[in-house]
């Protein structure tokens, strides 16, 4: 079995949430959002190291105490202008510690509700697949496209449509090759870079609870999910 490491891009500004504090550092039940992703990944027995990519000018990370995670947490201050640049630079910063055949699980800092169950399902589901893959949910809503005035243009078929989540799990070598070949402005996840090389990543069925905090209202939802888990423990 190849080794697994995790890479958390956390170099965004959270402009759509609209807080001065980047969303990955906003407090959820007394902890910064980023801590939840680190915790679930670091506690998984297959994951050796969790790399967190922050922006070079980030002044928030050091305001919190991360010592509970020990040396399995590695912070690299190499974030770029886009998510995929942050991921690309994070992969490079891993240096010789991670081999080209090792698995990298790229996970958004903005998805604090990833559960151990879903993480297990992803790692087991990908196994030693030739390509790799990602957590995703079948689209349940009816899909409309609209003009700029919010007037419906048409209803699209949702047949075969899935919403991509993270973690996205690929071998380091393939991921580096894929990301170096794409325009980083054009892609919003890692799998689409791999797809552009002609591969077909495997979708592992996920749950909506692994939501991405994008707008301010999503914070409340994330908090409710984390609260219900705490109460059930
Ligand atoms: N991210 C990153 N580097 C960037 C942009 C985004 O590492 N230049 C990270 C974010 O920190 C987040 C993940 O990629 O964990 C998903 O991106 P997104 O939800 O778009 O976060 P932001 O870019 O911070 O938010 P917004 O687009 O609203 O500004
Ligand atoms: Mg963004």
């Amino acid at each position: 079995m190849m080794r697994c490491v995790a890479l958390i891009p956390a170099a965004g500004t959270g402009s759509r949430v609209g807080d001065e504090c980047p969303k990955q550092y906003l407090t959820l039940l007394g902890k910064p959002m980023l801590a939840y992703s680190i915790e679930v990944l670091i506690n998984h027995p297959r994951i050796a190291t969790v790399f967190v990519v922050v922006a070079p000018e980030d002044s928030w990370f050091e305001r919190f105490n991360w010592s509970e995670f020990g040396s399995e947490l590695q912070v690299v201050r190499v974030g770029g202008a886009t998510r995929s640049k942050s991921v690309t630079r994070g992969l490079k910063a891993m240096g010789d510690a991670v081999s080209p055949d090792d698995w990298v699980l790229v996970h958004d800092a903005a998805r604090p509700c990833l559960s151990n169950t879903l993480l297990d399902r992803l790692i087991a589901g990908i196994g030693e697949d030739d390509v790799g893959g990602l957590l995703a949910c079948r689209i349940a809503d009816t899909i409309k496209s609209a003009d700029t005035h919010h007037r419906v243009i048409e209803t699209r078929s949702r047949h075969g449509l899935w919403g991509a989540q993270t973690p996205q799990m690929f071998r380091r070598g393939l991921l580096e090759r894929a990301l170096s070949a794409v325009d980083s402005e054009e892609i919003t996840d890692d799998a689409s870079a791999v797809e552009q090389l002609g591969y077909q990543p495997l979708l592992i069925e996920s749950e909506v609870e692994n939501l991405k905090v994008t707008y301010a209202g999503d914070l409340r939802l994330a908090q409710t999910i984390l609260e219900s888990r705490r109460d059930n423990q």
Side-chain angles (χ1 to χ4, degrees):
M1 264 197 314
M2 298 315 294
R3 222 161 56 105
C4 295
V5 300
L7 176 64
I8 304 178
T13 58
S15 58
R16 286 170 289 177
V17 165
D19 200 293
E20 182 216 342
C21 174
K23 62 187 175 187
Q24 59 273 29
Y25 298 115
L26 290 174
T27 302
L28 287 173
L29 308 186
K31 287 196 286 191
M33 185 187 299
L34 173 60
Y36 291 92
S37 297
I38 296 174
E39 190 172 12
V40 68
L41 291 162
I42 234 168
N43 285 337
H44 197 281
R46 280 287 310 278
I47 296 178
T49 308
V50 174
F51 295 88
V52 174
V53 179
V54 302
E57 67 281 5
D58 183 303
S59 65
W60 294 87
F61 186 84
E62 64 243 27
R63 298 186 200 184
F64 303 94
N65 183 359
W66 307 96
S67 60
E68 65 172 297
F69 299 121
S71 60
E72 280 177 50
L73 173 64
Q74 298 281 325
V75 182
V76 289
R77 298 188 153 272
V78 294
T82 60
R83 181 188 182 280
S84 76
K85 280 209 174 106
S86 296
V87 173
T88 302
R89 292 191 186 170
L91 288 167
K92 195 168 174 208
M94 289 175 177
D96 297 335
V98 180
S99 86
D101 287 335
D102 286 340
W103 292 102
V104 180
L105 283 82
V106 183
H107 181 60
D108 291 332
R111 291 188 190 269
C113 302
L114 173 65
S115 66
N116 186 51
T117 307
L118 287 179
L119 180 58
D120 264 344
R121 193 188 293 173
L122 173 72
I123 292 175
I126 298 300
E128 294 299 320
D129 191 78
D130 285 342
V131 179
L134 57 141
L135 288 178
C137 277
R138 288 173 214 274
I139 300 289
D141 292 330
T142 299
I143 303 295
K144 313 269 185 200
S145 62
D147 64 19
T148 52
H149 304 292
H150 300 187
R151 291 282 172 189
V152 172
I153 297 168
E154 63 170 340
T155 296
R156 306 260 179 95
S157 167
R158 67 171 176 239
H159 182 75
L161 290 187
W162 297 64
Q165 297 182 345
T166 71
Q168 304 204 346
M169 178 172 172
F170 296 100
R171 289 190 177 78
R172 181 190 180 182
L174 174 60
L175 201 49
E176 284 185 318
R177 191 152 61 84
L179 287 168
S180 70
V182 295
D183 177 352
S184 107
E185 309 279 336
E186 299 276 294
I187 60 161
T188 52
D189 75 346
D190 315 291
S192 51
V194 172
E195 290 154 36
Q196 286 186 30
L197 292 182
Y199 294 102
Q200 291 189 286
L202 182 61
L203 299 179
I204 303 295
E205 185 135 26
S206 188
E207 314 272 349
V208 287
E209 63 170 35
N210 183 27
L211 80 162
K212 183 161 75 80
V213 174
T214 304
Y215 300 100
D218 304 330
L219 283 163
R220 237 176 317 119
L221 208 51
Q223 180 138 332
T224 304
I225 292 166
L226 295 170
E227 248 161 13
S228 78
R229 272 191 212 152
R230 184 188 59 183
D231 297 343
N232 286 335
Q233 266 172 9

